[in-house]
Amino acid sequence: MPIPNINLIPPAYYLRKKVRVAVATAVFADILVVGGLVAFAMMQTNHNQELKLQQTDWKARADRVDSTKAEAQTILSSVSDYTAKTDFIGKVFAANAKWATLFEAVRDYSYPQATYTTMKPTAGSNVMQLHISVPNTKEVTAQQALNLYWANLLRCPLVDTVLPSTNLGYPMNTQDNTASVSLGSPGMSGAPGGPPSPGGPPMPGGASSGRYLGSPMAIASPATGGAQTTSLLSGKELGGIDASVQIGENGQVTIGASSNPMYGFDITAQMRDSVTVPTFGAATQQQQQSLGGGL
Amino acid sequence: MDMKPPKLKPVHIGIIAAVLALIAGGVMAKFWIMPVMQDNKVVQADVDNLMQTGSPANQTAADNEKNAALKKVAATKRDWAGYENRYFRIGPSNQPLDLALGGNRLPAAWLYSRERAETLGPKLNAWLASSGNAASFISVPAASVNPNDIPKDVIAIDFQGVKLTGTFQSVMHFLKTTRSAPRLVSVMAVSLSSPGSSDSSGGGVTPVSTRSFRINTVTADMDLRVYIFPRNGNQAGNYKVPAGAETGGGLGGASSGPPTTPSGPGMIPGGPPRPGMPPSPGRVPA
């Protein structure tokens, strides 16, 4: 017969034991948690200290770089006065030479039979005023010569446009009567000339006063061969200039006894480039002495 | 043996322990861990930035920049010395216009007035003539120079309507070689004209349009400006001449005579040279 297992220890005893174990476990767990957090915090703090050491080190290096750069700037600024002057001198020489560049560019793209009487570029502007004269012979009419001149000039890389307003004078040197006509768009691809624009005022004459002749018209595109274009002089008779001068329908100028078959034109060319004359410092600091040349 | 049951059961102990752990963790996180981590973030960003700025590559670049600056300074000083010797030594004594020379501006005024009266005109005329073109004659009117009025930065002297007649090529060459001028000369404006435009023969000139240039005489009508850079302009304010003493010393006479070298046809000879007044004794160094 089995002996019954009688437990006389009250349950509270076990409960207290469990509680003691639970307390110990809880304390241990809390210590673990807090310890872990402290360890993590310590690690972060150490990392922070390391970073601060790195920061100090790199800051010194960065300061050294900045200081070297600042030193370079200080060195440069120590001669900024000289630099400004030498730069200015270089610009002066470049601008002086650029005048020649513009003249030569226009010359290189000029119709050989045209002769210039004036070439006047404007400083600081891309406008160049030109006065040319072209022959008017049986072989080459003034119309054709002007077209050729125009076509050539528009090929110049430095020339942007040739403004349409021009003046026609005949004959040169003796009787500078003028007629105002218009030049249209160049139409290098063969299209007809552009829309007409008002002609300019008559140019002051020489011996006699100018005569305003002709309504605004478009000039033929050089590439069209005149087939679809309106002639500069078509149907116009330059009465009062020379009784023997007749302008035919095809633009042919017939000259009678004239011994001076030259026509003069004022051309305004818009250049792609211009001369910018440099000035040093503020204008108020300069002593502008217009002494003038004793000429 | 105490046989009374405990007031707290293990589950309560667990709950209390968890709450305590949370409280301790929260407090530590808020007041220790989080600030440190936040600071780490900021410092790390700063370090990254500094590492970029202070990198060896940047240091090398900065060193190169400094070396380049040193070279540029040397080159600029050399260039300037060359320009000064070439263009800004003025007057018969051929010296820079130093506004601080002698402790006041009288020597500078004296030098400047002699430059205008004796040196500038002949030198410019000789230069124009040496271009191989016929040039108009430049004369420089004498100026009453108040030493205190000498510009401290730059002096600009204008000459308008200077004419140069020659072949198209030689006139273009002149414009391209203004470095050869005795002073710094800026061409402010220039226009070309053909003398043949008023030729009674019918204007039979082709000055610039033909490439053969058989008859190609052109006249360049130029506005020129001569620049003179004084020395020590930044200190000029310290060397003003006292009121009442500005006119001390002879400040030059009228312009000089004709240029020393022939300048070809078209020149208008100037009058005989008229030297300026001598300086007052004791005021201006000889």
Side-chain angles (χ1 to χ4, degrees), chain A:
Chain A
M1 182 175 173
I3 301 169
N5 194 2
I6 299 168
N7 188 0
L8 298 178
I9 300 171
Y13 170 80
Y14 294 105
L15 191 57
R16 280 181 177 277
K17 202 172 181 179
K18 280 182 184 174
V19 166
R20 273 199 298 272
V21 171
V23 166
T25 306
V27 168
F28 181 71
D30 277 2
I31 286 171
L32 272 183
V33 168
V34 172
L37 287 171
V38 167
F40 182 72
M42 291 296 291
M43 193 180 73
Q44 289 297 323
T45 306
N46 287 339
H47 183 54
N48 185 265
Q49 284 171 354
E50 276 175 25
L51 283 175
K52 284 191 172 165
L53 284 175
Q54 281 186 28
Q55 189 184 32
T56 308
D57 180 38
W58 282 107
K59 190 165 186 345
R61 295 189 200 192
D63 285 348
R64 208 157 46 235
V65 170
D66 289 341
S67 146
T68 308
K69 284 183 177 175
E71 208 176 334
Q73 290 306 314
T74 308
I75 289 168
L76 284 178
S77 64
S78 70
V79 290
S80 60
D81 185 39
Y82 294 151
T83 307
K85 287 174 182 172
T86 52
D87 288 351
F88 171 73
I89 291 167
K91 285 179 186 171
V92 165
F93 291 139
N96 290 350
K98 202 163 186 182
W99 292 109
T101 305
L102 291 184
F103 286 129
E104 287 175 339
V106 170
R107 174 209 61 180
D108 287 347
Y109 287 87
S110 293
Y111 173 53
Q113 294 300 315
T115 62
Y116 284 100
T117 47
T118 58
M119 299 172 78
K120 191 173 183 182
T122 310
S125 158
N126 61 346
V127 171
M128 187 187 279
Q129 298 287 348
L130 307 164
H131 186 86
I132 64 162
S133 57
V134 293
N136 185 47
T137 62
K138 288 182 179 176
E139 292 78 21
V140 182
T141 65
Q143 174 79 67
Q144 290 167 333
L146 180 61
N147 284 354
L148 287 168
Y149 169 78
W150 191 30
N152 275 285
L153 189 59
L154 284 168
R155 287 174 55 236
C156 176
L158 290 186
V159 171
D160 190 17
T161 56
V162 178
L163 293 188
S165 183
T166 186
N167 288 280
L168 170 63
Y170 174 83
M172 283 196 60
N173 308 320
T174 54
Q175 203 174 17
D176 194 16
N177 292 301
T178 61
S180 182
V181 296
S182 299
L183 295 177
S185 302
M188 291 301 288
S189 61
S197 56
M203 292 293 289
S208 62
S209 60
R211 173 188 281 247
Y212 188 89
L213 287 181
S215 59
M217 282 184 272
I219 194 169
S221 161
T224 62
Q228 306 171 31
T229 59
T230 305
S231 168
L232 173 66
L233 304 171
S234 177
K236 292 292 168 186
E237 180 179 350
L238 301 183
I241 296 176
D242 187 330
S244 63
V245 175
Q246 296 289 329
I247 311 299
E249 288 296 331
N250 60 355
Q252 175 74 33
V253 180
T254 305
I255 300 174
S258 173
S259 60
N260 186 11
M262 298 292 282
Y263 273 74
F265 293 91
D266 281 327
I267 307 285
T268 300
Q270 294 274 8
M271 310 298 288
R272 288 201 168 92
D273 206 354
S274 64
V275 179
T276 304
V277 179
T279 54
F280 187 82
T284 52
Q285 293 178 329
Q286 293 189 10
Q287 187 184 26
Q288 304 283 352
Q289 302 184 34
S290 296
L291 304 178
L295 304 175

Side-chain angles (χ1 to χ4, degrees), chain B residues 169-181:
Chain B
Q169 292 101 321
S170 66
V171 170
M172 293 303 107
H173 180 72
F174 171 83
L175 290 173
K176 290 175 185 173
T177 56
T178 49
R179 286 173 185 271
S180 64

Side-chain angles (χ1 to χ4, degrees), chain B residues 227-246:
Chain B
Y227 287 102
I228 298 170
F229 287 108
R231 261 191 192 179
N232 292 316
N234 53 349
Q235 303 168 32
N238 303 329
Y239 299 108
K240 287 196 169 179
V241 176
E246 297 94 335

